[in-house]
Amino acid sequence: MTHSRGREHLAIPGPSIIPDQVLRAMHRTAPNIYEGELVEMMDQLTADLCSVARTSGQVAIYIGNGHAAWEAALANLVAPGEQVLVPATGRFGHGWAEMAQDRGIEVQMLDFGRQSPVDLTRFEEALRADSERKIKAVLATHVDTSTGVLNDIAGIRAVLDRVGHPALFVSDNIASLGCDRFEMDDWGVDAMVAGCQKGLMVPPGVSFVFVGPRAIAKRRAMPRVSRYWDFLPRIEPEFFYQYFCGTAPTHHLYGLRAALDMLGSEGIENVWARHDRLAHTVWATCETWAEGGALSINITDRAHRSRCITALSLPPPLGQDLRHWLEQEAGVTLGIGLGMETPNDPQATGAFRIGHMGHVNLHGLMGVLGAIEAGFQALRIPHGQAALAAAAQAFHTTNDEVATPVGAEKVG
């Protein structure tokens, strides 16, 4: 029999837990899509989205997931036959590159593996080698959801500036927006893609492309962009329907309005601080468990770990066994080992991920960690002792101030 009664806990790295306030906002009849409150709330909603992204630029909203935002950015900013440079640190960098190739874009890949961030020295060498300035855009991932790596976006911009390379700088923040510190304008990002289902705490279905002046100028110079993907009507609409190239995602917008109100009430600096403190709580727990010899943390250096997802592994198939036990016995769902296949574990049955993003707090997170420890006990997985005590201590001692990501001091 199963003992997973009561409210289930989704601890995957997106979709994240949906707050009751968001669910209540969405639980309503369909609105008028031609006039009234839905139309009237759009100016403030887009302004608040840009505030979360820390940009004075504009945002285009698409009905679609993060892959839709990838394609929208490419369609507007890179013409077929042009070249992009992709510094990849996990599955999602490769996914974006594959989409670019499918659009006829030439891709230069810098693969840094699955356990390291972008090496800025190698990145600089690649830029300096481009003496003819064929690279038209750099596509970087702030947080790769498969590996849990946090990349130095400010540092990448600093390299672009030092080399004097004119490529557009486009950042994938689908995992990190509203979780890890991100400063679009201060870090010199020209365009950024994001989704609604992670730090923004809304069910999947809406994605965003945030654009600054250089990105808008590049779009205006593009010879052709298909009507649906074109972001110009979405950021400069003459009529309400142009925000979405048709019917609006009505109930997602109500949910998003509620989520932005929650983030605004907490304050984005406090949101980052909460994620930072909870991440240190997870790390202290996992590092203690790892003393038992079975568990490995994918990113060993804390400075390069995301504050919203921690990627882990056990000898296969114990990661899969642990996930199944937790779901059946504890009502806790962990993330699969996405993109973490190896020759010794071709199905990634040893890998798993803990999502700690969005609508999370200490008591929910300690419940997840306690359930995992119970799973270790039930499955007789070797693990270090007193991990939950380490979690409590880490939460108590972690400074409320958000740690500055490595390289952020290089800009400004």
Side-chain angles (χ1 to χ4, degrees), residues 14-29:
S16 62
I17 296 169
I18 305 170
D20 290 340
Q21 297 96 311
V22 172
L23 292 171
R24 286 195 295 268
M26 299 179 72
H27 188 72
R28 53 165 295 157
T29 57

Side-chain angles (χ1 to χ4, degrees), residues 14-203:
S16 62
I17 296 169
I18 305 170
D20 290 340
Q21 297 96 311
V22 172
L23 292 171
R24 286 195 295 268
M26 299 179 72
H27 188 72
R28 53 165 295 157
T29 57
N32 186 345
I33 62 170
Y34 303 107
E35 58 187 11
E37 62 178 9
L38 189 69
V39 177
E40 293 165 1
M41 76 180 190
M42 284 305 299
D43 284 349
Q44 190 61 52
L45 186 139
T46 54
D48 290 346
L49 279 168
C50 289
S51 179
V52 171
R54 308 283 266 201
T55 181
S56 59
Q58 295 169 279
V59 60
I61 305 175
Y62 292 87
I63 302 173
N65 57 21
H67 291 70
W70 278 351
E71 182 144 4
L74 292 170
N76 283 275
L77 301 177
V78 189
E82 291 185 332
Q83 185 179 125
V84 296
L85 177 62
V86 182
T89 56
R91 179 69 199 101
F92 290 92
H94 286 275
W96 204 1
E98 290 161 3
M99 182 174 285
Q101 289 173 326
D102 289 344
R103 292 189 56 84
I105 296 166
E106 182 182 342
V107 173
Q108 181 180 348
M109 176 69 71
L110 288 177
D111 189 352
F112 297 98
R114 296 182 291 197
Q115 293 185 294
S116 302
V118 172
D119 182 327
L120 296 181
T121 300
R122 278 185 58 196
F123 175 69
E124 182 168 345
E125 290 170 353
L127 285 181
R128 292 193 182 279
D130 181 33
S131 58
E132 298 181 15
R133 297 301 190 248
K134 291 183 178 181
I135 296 169
K136 302 305 179 185
V138 172
L139 311 180
T141 305
H142 187 211
V143 168
D144 186 276
T145 326
S146 63
T147 61
V149 69
L150 174 70
N151 281 308
D152 183 359
I153 296 299
I156 292 173
R157 165 48 70 187
V159 171
L160 280 160
D161 291 345
R162 184 163 59 249
V163 173
H165 201 291
L168 285 176
F169 185 20
V170 190
S171 177
D172 174 351
N173 291 63
I174 294 168
S176 61
L177 186 65
C179 302
D180 284 282
R181 175 181 285 274
F182 178 75
E183 305 274 4
M184 180 169 168
D185 288 357
D186 286 353
W187 292 359
V189 175
D190 296 306
M192 181 266 281
V193 300
C196 70
Q197 74 274 19
K198 297 181 187 283
L200 295 183
M201 307 176 292
V202 176

Side-chain angles (χ1 to χ4, degrees), residues 241-326:
Y241 75 87
Q242 290 179 314
Y243 276 114
F244 313 101
C245 196
T247 305
T250 53
H251 290 66
H252 275 77
L253 294 177
Y254 285 119
L256 182 59
R257 178 65 272 167
L260 290 169
D261 287 342
M262 293 176 66
L263 293 174
S265 176
E266 186 176 358
I268 194 63
E269 294 275 356
N270 293 326
V271 172
W272 293 333
R274 172 168 53 86
H275 281 84
D276 183 70
R277 192 172 188 181
L278 293 176
H280 279 82
T281 303
V282 172
W283 301 340
T285 312
C286 294
E287 287 163 358
T288 304
W289 283 332
E291 293 172 1
L295 183 74
S296 295
I297 305 172
N298 189 56
I299 305 299
T300 57
D301 187 341
R302 285 189 174 195
H304 302 310
R305 293 178 190 164
S306 166
R307 270 64 179 167
C308 62
I309 173 263
T310 299
L312 305 155
S313 64
L314 291 164
L318 290 179
Q320 177 178 276
D321 293 346
L322 179 65
R323 288 192 300 102
H324 289 170
W325 188 93
L326 286 165

Side-chain angles (χ1 to χ4, degrees), residues 331-352:
V332 172
T333 301
L334 299 180
I336 64 171
L338 184 64
M340 299 302 282
E341 300 83 1
T342 67
N344 293 329
D345 187 13
Q347 301 301 317
T349 59
F352 64 100

